Amino acid sequence: MLLAAALALAACSNVSSTGGADQPAGPAPSNGAPGVTAKQIRFAAFGTRSNNPLGTCVLDCFVQGVNAYFAYRNSQGGIFGRTLTVSQVEDDALLKDQQAALRVTTTNSTFGAFSAAQLADGWSTITKAGMPLYVWPINPASMNGNDAVYGSAAPVCLGCTRRPYVLAAREAGGTRIATLGYGATDNSKLCASSAAASVRLYGAESGQQVVYTNDSLAFGLPNGIGPEVSAMKKAGTNMIVGCLDLNGMKALAQELQRQGMGSVPMLHLNTYDQDFVSRAGSLFDGDYVAVNFRPFEASAGSSQLGVYKDWMGRARAPLTELSMNGWISADLAYQGIKAAGASFTRASVIAATNKLTAFTGGGLVAPIDWSRQHEEPTQQDPATHGYANDCVSLVKVVKGRFEPVGPAAKPFFCWPGSTTAWSEPRSMDFS
């Protein structure tokens, strides 16, 4: 599931949207690290292409973002006299992630790896081989405690309360909230229970209440969702938090319309897909979507959003959630190598990356302190391993198109990360 992350303080290594060069130059020193030649730094990528139950572009779109970022940096001369490249791509066919990872480590011809896996069984295989790993961070449990795994978001507490649920409901005018999740996946189940707990915790301030919750739906909704919609209708639901995949949210929206509840807005955690939403016509109009990076619809400011769009355009690749996650991951790989210095090794890059205390991917995500954010925060202690700023960006579906909620130049709503107490969020831009 999409993890709500956001944007905050820009790292000193950020570049502007005009693409100003900041790469280390000069001749390539000798380097015996695997995957490093006199002219190249080679990476592997593995993840889910075939047998994807969602039917969406995962591995290939993630790699598109990595490749676009590498092309951008290579146009500036690469790093330490070498170009960056993805030289090995492995499909894990959904259930064979560990085998895909073993093909990467057995070949041992790449410096590090990128992963867009729906089931992250192979991540520990990569890190046990001493390789840095940059991932699509939908599996925080597989990231937790592993100081060589990085993503566009740090590990989060999926079961903890989150203020963004309450904010989205308030934006939609919802006061009687329902939450839905699949029982077969911890991410979805915990999301639904977290949303319900959040509404209950902040109900006194928000004027909201939970009137229905179900975190045990069958994946894919094989029996439909008619009885659940009937129950929500009977309960007077006027806002739904759906911790479902985009196909599940579409089935839910269609059933809402069939039962005369089409005007009830929903918060989506997994439907930031313009093509999918456009093809649905007006089905999702009035709904809200949480985004874990600076939305495409926001103004670029001095962030890398403009650079990303430029280089994705040069590659004739679509702007997608997965490609943005790949781009951000590639930036972290670059920044780690840069921080390690010209004689970098796998171990020195991991050590240097873990000293980055305000990584933002060029102003695209909330600042991550990799010196302390390899551990999941807890409800009782959100500060030690959590974000300094607890932020979310929201977009609203209007006539089949996404529009940013709040000022386009400040598209992130943020609360202090040191507490879970309710306060009014601030609209912020940290690019």
Side-chain angles (χ1 to χ4, degrees), residues 51 198 290 331 356:
N51 299 324
S198 300
D331 183 62
L356 299 178

Side-chain angles (χ1 to χ4, degrees), residues 122-135:
W123 289 2
S124 62
T125 298
I126 297 293
T127 58
K128 285 178 181 176
M131 301 173 70
L133 178 62
Y134 311 91
V135 305

Side-chain angles (χ1 to χ4, degrees), residues 114-373:
F114 296 93
S115 177
Q118 292 195 5
L119 302 175
D121 298 337
W123 289 2
S124 62
T125 298
I126 297 293
T127 58
K128 285 178 181 176
M131 301 173 70
L133 178 62
Y134 311 91
V135 305
W136 180 33
I138 65 166
N139 294 291
S142 297
M143 299 176 70
N144 190 40
N146 193 326
D147 66 359
V149 180
Y150 311 93
S152 57
V156 297
C157 173
L158 293 179
C160 294
T161 56
R162 295 295 314 281
R163 289 161 290 198
Y165 296 124
V166 172
L167 173 68
R170 191 175 70 177
E171 289 288 326
T175 56
R176 298 178 64 82
I177 317 301
T179 73
L180 298 172
Y182 294 126
T185 164
D186 285 344
N187 284 14
S188 180
K189 190 177 185 71
L190 288 171
C191 170
S193 61
S194 168
S198 300
V199 173
R200 294 187 184 106
L201 178 62
Y202 305 120
E205 290 89 350
S206 68
Q208 299 167 1
Q209 61 179 308
V210 178
V211 296
Y212 180 86
T213 186
N214 188 331
D215 61 2
S216 301
L217 297 174
F219 179 76
L221 306 176
N223 300 315
I225 196 167
E228 291 77 12
V229 170
S230 295
M232 289 188 287
K233 183 176 183 178
K234 184 177 181 181
T237 300
N238 60 11
M239 176 68 183
I240 300 169
V241 178
C243 301
L244 313 177
D245 64 300
L246 71 179
N247 295 314
M249 293 300 287
K250 182 178 181 180
L252 173 59
Q254 290 170 331
E255 183 62 25
L256 288 169
Q257 284 199 344
R258 192 185 72 81
Q259 295 199 30
M261 294 182 67
S263 62
V264 174
M266 299 189 291
L267 172 64
H268 301 244
L269 280 301
N270 284 299
T271 316
Y272 192 47
D273 185 320
Q274 184 59 73
D275 181 61
F276 180 83
V277 169
S278 296
R279 285 188 280 110
S282 61
L283 186 64
F284 299 117
D285 278 3
D287 287 359
Y288 292 78
V289 181
V291 186
N292 74 326
F293 50 81
R294 189 181 188 93
F296 303 136
E297 297 75 23
S299 58
S302 58
S303 74
Q304 276 193 10
L305 181 59
V307 186
Y308 161 82
K309 289 182 176 180
D310 178 20
W311 285 92
M312 290 298 290
R314 297 188 193 199
R316 297 183 178 180
L319 307 184
T320 63
E321 173 202 345
L322 265 296
S323 68
M324 176 60 88
N325 276 271
W327 175 282
I328 295 166
S329 293
D331 183 62
L332 184 55
Y334 173 89
Q335 300 298 344
I337 293 171
K338 176 183 174 183
S343 298
F344 63 93
T345 64
R346 287 171 170 172
S348 70
V349 167
I350 291 170
T353 306
N354 289 334
K355 294 179 181 178
L356 299 178
T357 59
F359 172 77
T360 67
L364 297 174
V365 294
I368 303 171
D369 182 349
W370 286 115
S371 72
R372 61 177 182 81
Q373 283 191 255

Side-chain angles (χ1 to χ4, degrees), residues 22-30 38-39 76-83 342 344:
D22 70 347
Q23 80 284 356
S30 60
K39 294 184 178 181
Q76 298 177 329
I79 184 169
F80 299 129
R82 299 177 174 90
T83 57
F344 63 93

Side-chain angles (χ1 to χ4, degrees), residues 2-8 162-171 267-269 288-295 298 364-367 387 389-395 404-407 410-417 422-430:
L2 277 179
L3 306 174
L7 190 68
R162 295 295 314 281
R163 289 161 290 198
Y165 296 124
V166 172
L167 173 68
R170 191 175 70 177
E171 289 288 326
L267 172 64
H268 301 244
L269 280 301
Y288 292 78
V289 181
V291 186
N292 74 326
F293 50 81
R294 189 181 188 93
L364 297 174
V365 294
Y387 282 86
N389 292 280
D390 178 21
C391 303
V392 67
S393 62
L394 295 171
V395 294
V405 176
K410 294 184 177 182
F412 298 91
F413 298 96
C414 299
W415 296 265
W422 177 261
S423 60
E424 287 301 313
R426 292 186 296 160
S427 294
M428 304 180 78
D429 168 56
F430 299 97

